[in-house]
Amino acid sequence: MYKIDKLNELAELVAANREKNADLEPARMTAEEKDSLLSAFHPDYKQGEFTVLSAGVNKGDKVPTQLAELLQGKSRITAEQIDLGKVDYDTDVLVIGGGGAGASAAIEADESGARTMIVTKLRIGDANTMMAEGGIQAADKPNDSPAIHYLDAFGGGHFAAKPELVNKLVTKAPEAILWLNKLGVEFDKEADGTMVTTHGGGTSRKRMHAAKDYTGAEIMRTLRDEVLNRGIPVIDFTSAVEIILDDKGRAAGAVLMNMETKELLVARAKTVVIATGGAGRLHYQGFPTSNHYGATADGLVLGYRVGAKLIYADTLQYHPTGAAYPEQIFGALVTEKVRSLGAKLVNIDGEVFMHPLETRDVTAASIIRECSERGKGIETNEGQAVWLDTPMIEYKHGEGTIEKRIPAMMRMFGKYGIDIRKEPILVYPTLHYQNGGLEISDDCSTGVENLYAAGEVAGGIHGRNRLMGNSLLDVIVFGRNAGIYAASKAKGMEVPEKLTLEHIEHFSRELESEGIANETASPMLLPKYARKA
């Protein structure tokens, strides 16, 4: 193993092998090889890192231990604390979450004529959407089709996704691109206006639409502007801490907490959309994360406590290429677009050890194997890593390609004196995406009436692994979908009169009956990074 002072020497070996590696195209793995690799090295298969739930609608299912602690945790409030007769906010559609899915839902609900409000614990746009880099998939070119996109996505998720959700995802994808383009997203285009598309891992066609390598930020900028231009109320720095039900067990609003003053407020609504995003800041199995600061699984807790079922909560996506050096950006996302442009994964011996565009779970497991079983990783101050040979991009496509196609990556590393046009970078898997979540139908409804979910908090769309570019797509497709259906349902409803938080005590009694004395306050709201004395 090698320390940082050896990196220049090791990087020279990568450069010396670049000409040979440029023409090297390792064979893709067989299905049997992939299964064997995943079971041995992917974090989802480490049985000791999971806990079987003892309470709630998923009793008997396993989930990551850190998530189990929150799902079976103690509510931040009691029913006696809240005066449900004093309504602070009244709306038709309450959207919880200010990322891409929440903004899309709010825009479409507003377009449908429903009074709509967004509540978000940070600011609108502080979300994983903003941090997504590589692109958004859509089969809108002559050599492609939604059917081919379906096969790629369904197979890439190990055939575990709900077919009706994959069908919705791929058939609505071209329309989603047109919608975003009309709103003003600055996609990469040829001189004649044709959108530039590239491959992603596991895709059989070039269908990745991008805005350089800050696609999510560009999409979120546009959605945020649309929300604000429409005058949709946004209550920021305010978190939902419990869903409110009516006397028929239907979602009827939420208890909100001002993140600064801790004041508790009541928001009443005819329908509720949970769009709270992912869970990367729980740092499952001690992994770093590419996620934004607020990604703490709040929506899973909110939905679960009122009876919304989880699906595939035991499967996460560890993006294969998180920055492993320097420490200042440890875990930050290195977009898959870097590999789609030609960069290859190289071990300590300067060898390309796998096809660069296998699916993400296979690629992550391959890197972990290279660093552990094969002993061919590079040691950094934070652990193990492999090379991602970024100069290969300009070796193959010419000078200026990196600055034109992935300028954000160039800037991110450039801040620390690393020129990715001339030097390879060090990468290792980083906790990236919550494959599972609240189970939804194709209208985004959960098992709780009037409660909808969209975006990363929703499960079943990607199965047990997600392909690049399908997260930004599901944010738009299912975010819009949730807004349309939630608004439609709200139109035919009277304002809920009898509000209740009885589910808090009911769930507490269930925990007690199962012998669970967990004092962990949930939802978590913000990660804890304070050093212990």
Side-chain angles (χ1 to χ4, degrees):
M1 299 303 174
Y2 293 80
K3 292 295 185 181
I4 300 302
D5 59 1
K6 289 283 186 178
L7 289 183
N8 288 339
E9 179 183 331
L10 294 171
E12 287 174 5
L13 181 58
V14 179
N17 287 345
R18 189 164 294 132
E19 184 176 359
K20 177 185 70 174
N21 288 340
D23 298 323
L24 187 63
E25 194 71 16
R28 289 187 181 270
M29 296 181 195
T30 65
E32 292 75 17
E33 288 171 334
K34 290 178 182 179
D35 288 343
S36 176
L37 173 72
L38 291 171
S39 63
F41 296 100
H42 195 279
D44 280 355
Y45 292 78
K46 287 190 173 182
Q47 297 304 316
E49 298 287 347
F50 296 85
T51 295
V52 175
L53 293 171
S54 300
V57 288
N58 284 84
K59 182 178 178 178
D61 290 352
K62 68 173 186 176
V63 301
T65 297
Q66 296 92 332
L67 178 59
E69 185 176 3
L70 294 174
L71 291 175
Q72 298 181 153
K74 182 180 179 180
S75 176
R76 288 183 169 272
I77 61 169
T78 63
E80 291 73 26
Q81 281 180 275
I82 311 301
D83 180 2
L84 294 175
K86 178 181 177 295
V87 176
D88 299 282
Y89 300 104
D90 213 346
T91 190
D92 293 334
V93 179
L94 174 65
V95 179
I96 303 172
S104 297
I107 290 165
E108 288 292 8
D110 181 74
E111 182 68 18
S112 298
R115 291 181 305 141
T116 305
M117 184 179 90
I118 294 174
V119 58
T120 178
K121 70 179 175 184
L122 298 174
R123 301 165 299 180
I124 184 170
D126 287 337
N128 283 344
T129 303
M130 190 75 179
M131 304 176 80
E133 297 166 348
I136 175 171
Q137 285 202 49
D140 58 1
K141 291 292 180 73
N143 69 332
D144 202 359
S145 71
I148 298 172
H149 188 179
Y150 182 100
L151 292 173
D152 287 347
F154 198 44
H158 301 288
F159 304 99
K162 296 178 72 170
E164 66 273 23
L165 299 184
V166 187
N167 181 66
K168 175 81 77 171
L169 180 77
V170 301
T171 55
K172 293 294 184 180
E175 180 185 321
I177 296 294
L178 290 175
W179 185 70
L180 290 171
N181 191 54
K182 185 177 179 180
L183 286 179
V185 172
E186 296 285 348
F187 287 111
D188 295 340
K189 297 176 182 177
E190 305 286 3
D192 64 358
T194 303
M195 290 197 187
V196 175
T197 52
T198 57
H199 272 301
T203 63
S204 59
R205 298 290 187 275
K206 291 182 178 181
R207 69 172 72 94
M208 203 68 56
H209 301 65
K212 303 290 189 293
D213 57 345
Y214 42 80
T215 311
E218 172 60 13
I219 288 173
M220 193 68 245
R221 175 197 66 80
T222 306
L223 294 176
R224 181 179 57 219
D225 285 353
E226 183 68 13
V227 166
L228 299 178
N229 288 341
R230 283 174 172 267
I232 298 171
V234 177
I235 314 302
D236 56 10
F237 296 110
T238 302
S239 181
V241 294
E242 285 290 348
I243 299 297
I244 297 171
L245 302 178
D246 66 12
D247 58 340
K248 296 181 177 63
R250 303 176 299 188
V255 177
L256 310 180
M257 176 187 287
N258 182 296
M259 294 294 287
E260 182 178 8
T261 67
K262 308 305 177 186
E263 179 185 8
L264 295 172
L265 305 160
V266 172
R268 181 172 62 183
K270 296 177 180 178
T271 58
V272 178
V273 178
I274 296 178
T276 51
R281 289 288 164 175
L282 299 188
H283 293 288
Y284 297 134
Q285 301 189 36
F287 272 80
T289 186
S290 64
N291 283 197
H292 82 106
Y293 189 64
T296 50
D298 297 354
L300 301 186
V301 174
L302 295 174
Y304 193 71
R305 202 134 56 203
V306 292
K309 191 174 183 181
L310 304 176
I311 184 173
Y312 304 144
D314 60 325
T315 174
L316 288 302
Q317 183 164 88
Y318 296 80
H319 195 291
T321 54
Y325 177 80
E327 295 108 332
Q328 294 95 324
I329 53 171
F330 183 56
L333 184 63
V334 177
T335 172
E336 191 167 311
K337 190 173 182 180
V338 176
R339 284 177 286 133
S340 73
L341 288 171
K344 295 186 178 183
L345 293 161
V346 179
N347 65 24
I348 195 169
D349 297 328
E351 303 166 335
V352 173
F353 60 89
M354 66 169 297
H355 193 286
L357 289 179
E358 292 281 9
T359 55
R360 285 180 172 176
D361 54 351
V362 170
T363 307
S366 295
I367 293 171
I368 293 170
R369 178 177 64 181
E370 203 70 12
C371 292
S372 57
E373 181 184 81
R374 293 181 174 174
K376 294 196 174 187
I378 297 99
E379 188 173 343
T380 73
N381 290 340
E382 299 293 338
Q384 295 287 303
V386 296
W387 293 112
L388 183 58
D389 189 11
T390 48
M392 180 75 78
I393 295 172
E394 300 208 337
Y395 179 86
K396 296 176 75 171
H397 300 295
E399 189 176 335
T401 303
I402 286 176
E403 187 170 11
K404 180 181 179 182
R405 302 295 297 277
I406 48 172
M409 286 293 97
M410 191 176 84
R411 288 195 299 271
M412 182 170 77
F413 282 92
K415 288 179 182 178
Y416 305 100
I418 298 170
D419 187 344
I420 68 172
R421 297 169 297 184
K422 300 174 182 177
E423 306 168 62
I425 58 177
L426 288 165
V427 296
Y428 192 79
T430 183
L431 183 54
H432 184 57
Y433 189 84
Q434 180 177 275
N435 287 324
L438 298 173
E439 184 170 4
I440 60 170
S441 301
D442 64 358
D443 62 356
C444 290
S445 61
T446 66
V448 177
E449 190 173 352
N450 296 344
L451 183 65
Y452 298 80
E456 194 173 347
V457 76
I461 300 165
H462 307 289
R464 293 188 169 274
N465 180 60
R466 177 182 63 79
L467 299 187
M468 171 193 181
N470 278 348
S471 61
L472 282 178
L473 178 59
D474 102 51
V475 156
I476 303 303
V477 168
F478 290 96
R480 296 181 70 198
N481 202 44
I484 290 167
Y485 281 102
S488 176
K489 184 71 182 293
K491 281 183 181 177
M493 289 185 58
E494 297 295 327
V495 175
E497 294 183 1
K498 296 182 179 179
L499 305 180
T500 176
L501 289 168
E502 290 179 2
H503 69 275
I504 298 175
E505 181 58 28
H506 174 80
F507 193 74
S508 179
R509 286 197 301 269
E510 184 179 357
L511 292 174
E512 187 177 344
S513 70
E514 294 294 336
I516 300 172
N518 182 1
E519 293 299 313
T520 299
S522 72
M524 179 184 284
L525 302 184
L526 293 175
K528 300 179 178 75
Y529 290 116
R531 289 185 177 150
K532 295 179 182 178

